[in-house]
């Protein structure tokens, strides 16, 4: 599903960022995904990262990489715990999961929360409506204990779905979403998960970081309260957050072979773990597709010659004076049946983010990323 941007009001959240490529991509990969999961049901990272490192004050939550389409971690809610697979999404702020009261087909295919089984559950009675670019969730606000990565977050506000219309969640490999954006992006009057971790003194530093693996390589992880230097090489380059709403920064330019091909006068970019691709303004992305000789298919996706991986140059994103190359092997993906696709996609026309870029998992697989709320900065370094 395409990723466009998010807007929050007191009772609604328009979340155009969604952590999947598309329904058609998900369906196309369905058989391959099934085979993959049968062969690789667990990653070794799950065996040694579950409770974090008390010496470093870092709490690790492993994530499974679903064919580079989505990175999914496991949380539990309630007492005793009920488990859910969630996207840890820096492009939204709220936490929600399906409930037993949900009547949509999507909920029949996913884990659902049963309030009657939790002794620590509290209901608020407040309705919530989360509107996505390709669907929506309607439900209500509740409070309960949330656990992940060895952390125990008490009295956490979260959404429980009553309806999830449309197909976008029905085929998802996750149950819900745990947002890690700024509070200003979330539902008013609620405290997001990360802010509660900090307020309750559960983490020693007011930051978290992501390492996203490539395909079947070493397991992906989100870490809270500290930075594990073994996941990146060199030094972290720190970039100020330009607007504390999204994890947004100012980008200098986008170039190829030393020639600027986009963002020539500077532009804004959002670092979003809940977005699979590199999203930009439609006219500029269309021009990039022409430059790399990607042609639009009948389904709307851009197809490219697989051999181009060996000949096309890096596309360089320059941020705060530092170059971040994205090689052809990253901006071209090989799908099922040996067909290759461009990892660039267009934003929505008319969106208030239509002139901005969203740097999703394609970028984040290459660069270990630290989200420092205490200093409102983003740290970037080559991932190992």
């Amino acid at each position: 599903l395409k990723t466009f941007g998010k807007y929050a009001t007191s009772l609604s959240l328009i979340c155009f960022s969604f952590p999947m490529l598309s329904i058609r991509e998900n369906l196309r990969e369905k058989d391959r995904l099934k085979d993959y999961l049968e062969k690789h049901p667990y990653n070794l990272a799950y065996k040694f990262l579950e409770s974090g490192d008390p010496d470093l004050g870092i709490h690790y939550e492993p994530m499974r990489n679903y064919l580079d389409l989505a990175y999914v971690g496991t949380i539990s809610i309630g007492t005793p715990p009920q488990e859910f697979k969630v996207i840890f999404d820096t492009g939204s702020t709220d936490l929600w999961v399906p409930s037993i009261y949900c009547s949509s087909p999507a909920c029949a295919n996913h884990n659902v929360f049963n309030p009657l089984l939790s002794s620590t559950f509290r209901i608020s009675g407040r309705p919530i409506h989360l509107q996505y670019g390709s669907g929506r969730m309607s439900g209500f606000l509740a409070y309960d204990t949330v656990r992940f990565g060895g952390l125990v977050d008490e009295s956490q506000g979260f959404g429980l779905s009553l309806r999830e219309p449309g197909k976008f969640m029905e085929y998802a490999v996750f149950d819900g979403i745990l947002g890690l954006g700024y509070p200003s992006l979330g539902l008013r009057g609620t405290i997001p998960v990360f802010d509660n971790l900090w307020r309750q003194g559960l983490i020693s530093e007011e930051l978290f970081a992501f390492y996203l693996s490539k395909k079947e390589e070493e397991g992906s992880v989100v870490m809270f309260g500290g930075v594990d230097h073994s996941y990146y090489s060199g030094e972290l380059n720190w970039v100020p957050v330009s607007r504390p709403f999204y994890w947004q920064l100012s980008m200098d330019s986008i170039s190829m072979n030393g020639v600027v091909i986009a963002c020539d006068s500077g532009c804004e970019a959002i670092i979003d773990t809940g977005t699979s691709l590199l999203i930009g303004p439609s006219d500029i992305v269309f021009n990039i597709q022409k430059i790399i000789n990607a042609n639009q298919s009948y389904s709307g996706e851009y197809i490219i010659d697989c051999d181009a991986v060996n000949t096309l140059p890096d596309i360089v994103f320059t941020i705060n004076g530092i170059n971040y190359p994205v090689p052809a092997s990253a901006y071209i993906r090989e799908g099922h049946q040996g067909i290759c696709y461009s990892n660039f996609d267009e934003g929505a026309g008319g969106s208030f983010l239509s002139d901005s870029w969203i740097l999703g998992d394609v970028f984040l697989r290459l660069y270990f990323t630290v989200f420092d709320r205490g200093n409102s900065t983003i740290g970037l370094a080559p991932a190992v």
Side-chain angles (χ1 to χ4, degrees):
L1 289 142
K2 294 190 177 180
T3 307
F4 308 134
K6 305 178 182 80
Y7 176 74
T9 63
S10 60
L11 290 179
S12 66
L13 177 61
I14 298 179
C15 309
F16 296 102
S17 169
F18 201 73
M20 298 300 287
L21 287 175
S22 64
I23 291 175
R24 61 175 176 262
E25 180 75 9
N26 203 7
L27 291 176
R28 181 169 58 233
E29 299 286 5
K30 192 173 182 182
D31 291 337
R32 186 180 169 198
L33 180 61
K34 181 181 177 183
D35 293 341
Y36 174 87
L37 295 178
E38 286 174 353
K39 294 175 183 175
H40 308 278
Y42 296 99
N43 190 294
L44 292 176
Y46 282 76
K47 297 181 179 178
F48 64 86
L49 291 178
E50 287 188 353
S51 59
D53 189 332
D55 295 331
L56 298 176
I58 304 173
H59 297 267
Y60 300 87
E61 174 55 39
M63 297 179 293
R64 290 176 75 178
N65 176 359
Y66 286 82
L67 297 172
D68 290 354
L69 300 180
Y71 294 82
V72 179
T74 301
I75 68 169
S76 68
I77 303 177
T79 308
Q82 301 176 43
E83 284 198 352
F84 299 92
K85 294 185 291 186
V86 298
I87 298 287
F88 286 86
D89 178 25
T90 60
S92 67
T93 296
D94 301 299
L95 166 64
W96 69 270
V97 296
S99 80
I100 58 168
Y101 308 112
C102 177
S103 58
S104 301
C107 297
N109 297 333
H110 293 88
N111 294 325
V112 292
F113 182 78
N114 186 346
L116 303 176
L117 299 181
S118 176
S119 62
T120 47
F121 177 82
R122 290 188 296 116
I123 190 170
S124 76
R126 173 183 169 184
I128 60 171
H129 307 283
L130 308 185
Q131 179 70 48
Y132 290 84
S134 300
R136 63 187 184 274
M137 181 282 261
S138 298
F140 59 95
L141 185 67
Y143 297 87
D144 212 328
T145 301
V146 176
R147 296 175 174 87
F148 57 89
L151 296 162
V152 181
D153 173 14
E154 298 179 345
S155 298
Q156 176 61 53
F158 69 106
L160 284 170
S161 70
L162 294 174
R163 295 184 68 246
E164 298 174 20
K167 299 288 186 183
F168 79 109
M169 277 300 295
E170 190 170 344
Y171 299 109
V173 295
F174 51 90
D175 304 311
I177 297 173
L178 192 156
L180 292 168
Y182 278 82
S184 54
L185 183 59
L187 297 167
R188 292 180 185 173
T190 63
I191 302 173
V193 170
F194 182 75
D195 293 76
N196 256 342
L197 297 180
W198 179 248
R199 289 188 183 198
Q200 294 178 25
L202 300 174
I203 51 177
S204 56
E205 292 184 71
E206 197 177 0
L207 55 79
F208 56 91
F210 278 81
Y211 171 82
L212 301 186
S213 66
K214 305 174 186 69
K215 296 292 183 182
E216 299 178 39
E217 295 182 8
E218 185 179 9
S220 305
V221 63
V222 55
M223 56 194 74
F224 295 87
V227 176
D228 187 335
H229 304 286
S230 67
Y231 281 93
Y232 66 90
S233 62
E235 297 295 322
L236 286 164
N237 294 304
W238 294 98
V239 186
V241 172
S242 58
R243 185 187 180 204
F245 189 60
Y246 303 94
W247 286 97
Q248 181 173 328
L249 47 76
S250 297
M251 188 158 60
D252 304 338
S253 64
I254 302 172
S255 60
M256 177 187 278
N257 285 332
V259 178
V260 174
I261 60 172
C263 190
D264 53 348
S265 299
C267 58
E268 293 295 293
I270 293 161
I271 310 297
D272 189 356
T273 60
T275 295
S276 299
L277 305 181
L278 300 167
I279 310 293
S282 58
D283 55 337
I284 295 173
V285 169
F286 180 73
N287 186 55
I288 291 176
Q289 307 287 28
K290 287 199 299 183
I291 291 172
I292 64 176
N293 201 26
N295 299 300
Q296 194 167 22
S297 70
Y298 70 92
S299 62
E301 294 166 303
Y302 280 85
I303 295 176
I304 189 168
D305 186 343
C306 292
D307 291 337
V309 169
N310 303 314
T311 58
L312 283 172
D314 296 350
I315 293 179
V316 179
F317 294 77
T318 303
I319 301 170
N320 209 28
I322 304 293
N323 290 336
Y324 296 91
V326 176
S329 58
Y331 64 77
I332 297 173
R333 74 180 183 278
E334 184 175 352
H336 205 28
Q337 298 178 336
I339 299 173
C340 289
Y341 301 87
S342 167
N343 271 334
F344 284 92
D345 204 359
E346 304 167 6
S351 166
F352 72 94
L353 288 175
S354 60
D355 293 329
S356 299
W357 282 81
I358 300 176
L359 305 183
D361 298 340
V362 170
F363 183 84
L364 296 171
R365 277 191 286 274
L366 300 170
Y367 299 101
F368 178 85
T369 309
V370 182
F371 299 83
D372 187 339
R373 275 283 302 278
N375 296 301
S376 264
T377 55
I378 298 169
L380 297 166
V384 297

